[in-house]
Amino acid sequence: MRSRDKKKQKEKNSEKAKKKKSASCPPEYDGAEVSEALARDSIQIEEVSSMEPGVVDLPSSGSEVEENGDSESLKDGLSKSRRMLLLPFGRVHKISSVDPEFWLEAEEALIAADAGVECALSIVEGAKKRIKAQGAFEIENLKQAFRDEVVELLKEIEKTPEEQGEKPRVLFVVGVNGVGKTTTAAKIGYMKKRQGEKVIFAAADTFRAAGIEQMEMWAMRVGAPVVKHQAGGDPAAVVFDAVKSAKAKGIDLVIVDTAGRLHTKKNLMDELSKMWRVAERQGVSAQGVLVIDATTGQNGINQARMFSSALDISSIALTKMDGSAKGGVVLAIGRELGIPVSYVGIGEGLSDLKPFEPEEYSRALF
């Protein structure tokens, strides 16, 4: 009996030893092949970890999943603003119960969401006229009247078409400190690359070594080259080299990440103008996208005015919409400055920046 037990134990130990040896180094690889396989595996893991959930390059279902996710995220991102704007609707059950107090509360809610006084008055008056003209009775018709007014106001602001002529195009991403310029630059690059364009980044935030490293990290995630100089170098020289490299390589779009600067500091704004001139002297078209933190509300309008005096701001990227109760600032910027919002940021992932659509925005608000 004992000898039989010892024999079984010996067989078990032998099996364990075989498994251990097999796991440590598969017999079909020699040492060099194992190193090469591990290197391949590490690259694949890095690529997968940089992708967003639901984003797949080849299958058509991947883009559908991404779009649906973004649509839900925009609605979620504007939840604070929406709760505020829908408060007046909570006490009315049908159109006949809408009184002057409702319209006043609707105006106050829009102002509280940073839509601006003039814009709030315009939307409310327009909604009144729509309801009267339609002879509507349902509260959903009342909400739709507000949505229609929002869409009409935003569609009056013409978006600056992207230049389709000589390549490369240059896009300057500008804004004050802390609004998310570098991440926005990376997300725009990611979006354009998915649309089939060749992209190169220019790390022109030379004031901070960390700024250059951050741009490098994002460029690696996007899978695009980046032109950089030493910290403390001339940012205009970075722009020059990036455009030169883009021309040599047949790249479509140069995205310039700039240093955060106070819009009240003239010398810093002058430096921005210098970078712009350097790009234009190389015979390329340049456009500027101003990044504004949605949580700053009306202060974003002052920033837009100052940056517009230094360079041609063709559009605005509104970030941190997922944490702001001031989603109405989109309306104020459009009405007061005539600058369209082209992008909205609704999260930290690469695919969490999306083109701004007035209809979708209006549905998310009301």
Side-chain angles (χ1 to χ4, degrees):
M1 192 74 176
R2 286 181 182 176
S3 60
R4 192 183 301 166
D5 290 342
K6 284 182 180 179
K7 187 177 180 182
K8 284 183 179 179
Q9 187 63 41
K10 190 179 286 187
E11 287 173 356
K12 284 182 181 178
N13 291 340
S14 177
E15 275 298 311
K16 285 181 181 178
K18 285 179 183 178
K19 286 180 180 179
K20 189 172 181 181
K21 184 178 179 182
S22 175
S24 61
C25 185
E28 62 266 30
Y29 291 104
D30 61 20
E33 288 173 327
V34 169
S35 299
E36 189 179 346
L38 289 172
R40 280 200 307 271
D41 288 345
S42 66
I43 290 169
Q44 289 170 355
I45 290 167
E46 184 178 340
E47 288 175 351
V48 171
S49 67
S50 70
M51 298 293 286
E52 295 302 312
V55 181
V56 183
D57 285 331
L58 295 178
S60 60
S61 60
S63 59
E64 291 168 8
V65 170
E66 185 182 16
E67 285 172 12
N68 291 337
D70 281 353
S71 179
E72 287 297 316
S73 294
L74 178 60
K75 190 173 180 181
D76 292 342
L78 287 170
S79 61
K80 292 181 181 179
S81 299
R82 184 170 60 256
R83 282 196 296 269
M84 185 185 299
L85 292 171
L86 291 181
L87 281 175
F89 294 86
R91 66 178 188 80
V92 294
H93 304 289
K94 53 185 178 179
I95 297 293
S96 59
S97 62
V98 172
D99 55 14
E101 190 69 21
F102 167 83
W103 299 110
L104 181 61
E105 288 176 3
E107 286 176 10
E108 291 172 349
L110 282 162
I111 293 168
D114 266 357
V117 175
E118 288 184 15
C119 188
L121 292 172
S122 174
I123 289 173
V124 169
E125 285 303 314
K128 276 185 188 178
K129 290 176 183 176
R130 285 180 187 274
I131 290 297
K132 187 175 180 180
Q134 293 169 3
F137 295 97
E138 300 297 329
I139 292 302
E140 184 57 34
N141 298 129
L142 184 59
K143 290 180 182 177
Q144 189 60 47
F146 276 87
R147 293 182 195 124
D148 291 342
E149 282 300 311
V150 167
V151 171
E152 188 171 302
L153 186 151
L154 292 172
K155 284 195 169 179
E156 288 175 0
I157 310 157
E158 291 187 7
K159 288 187 179 181
T160 305
E162 290 186 357
E163 297 289 341
Q164 298 300 325
E166 197 73 22
K167 294 180 181 178
R169 309 186 314 279
V170 180
L171 183 67
F172 286 87
V173 181
V174 302
V176 299
N177 288 309
V179 294
K181 289 183 303 302
T182 305
T183 52
T184 299
K187 290 172 184 179
I188 292 173
Y190 178 73
M191 183 188 298
K192 295 299 183 184
K193 191 178 176 190
R194 285 181 60 82
Q195 291 170 357
E197 294 196 55
K198 294 179 182 178
V199 175
I200 190 170
F201 293 102
D205 180 2
T206 58
F207 289 103
R208 301 178 304 124
I212 298 171
E213 291 169 5
Q214 188 185 13
M215 188 69 261
E216 279 187 285
M217 179 196 74
W218 279 106
M220 189 180 298
R221 289 188 64 185
V222 172
V226 58
V227 173
K228 64 170 185 172
H229 285 192
Q230 294 295 322
D234 183 359
V238 179
V239 173
F240 180 88
D241 287 347
V243 173
K244 184 178 179 182
S245 177
K247 283 183 172 182
K249 297 174 182 176
I251 288 173
D252 303 300
L253 180 63
V254 179
I255 301 178
V256 183
D257 177 40
T258 63
R261 59 199 71 226
L262 292 171
H263 51 288
T264 53
K265 298 291 184 183
K266 188 178 182 302
N267 60 323
L268 294 177
M269 299 303 283
D270 287 345
E271 186 182 68
L272 201 55
S273 299
K274 177 185 173 184
M275 285 190 277
W276 187 280
R277 290 194 303 272
V278 165
E280 287 191 326
R281 282 172 187 165
Q282 294 186 77
V284 297
S285 62
Q287 290 184 329
V289 58
L290 174 62
V291 183
I292 295 178
D293 181 342
T295 61
T296 62
Q298 288 282 315
N299 188 44
I301 296 174
N302 297 329
Q303 294 172 23
R305 284 197 184 100
M306 294 300 293
F307 276 95
S308 294
S309 66
L311 68 163
D312 179 21
I313 299 294
S314 58
S315 64
I316 286 171
L318 205 58
T319 62
K320 306 180 186 179
M321 286 285 280
D322 51 327
S324 174
K326 300 179 178 181
V329 72
V330 172
L331 302 166
I333 290 169
R335 184 178 178 84
E336 294 186 33
L337 302 177
I339 303 174
V341 173
S342 293
Y343 305 102
V344 286
I346 48 177
E348 295 298 322
L350 275 172
S351 61
D352 288 334
L353 184 81
K354 60 174 300 183
F356 178 77
E357 297 295 340
E359 290 88 354
E360 187 178 1
Y361 170 74
S362 69
R363 289 194 302 271
L365 279 183
F366 293 98

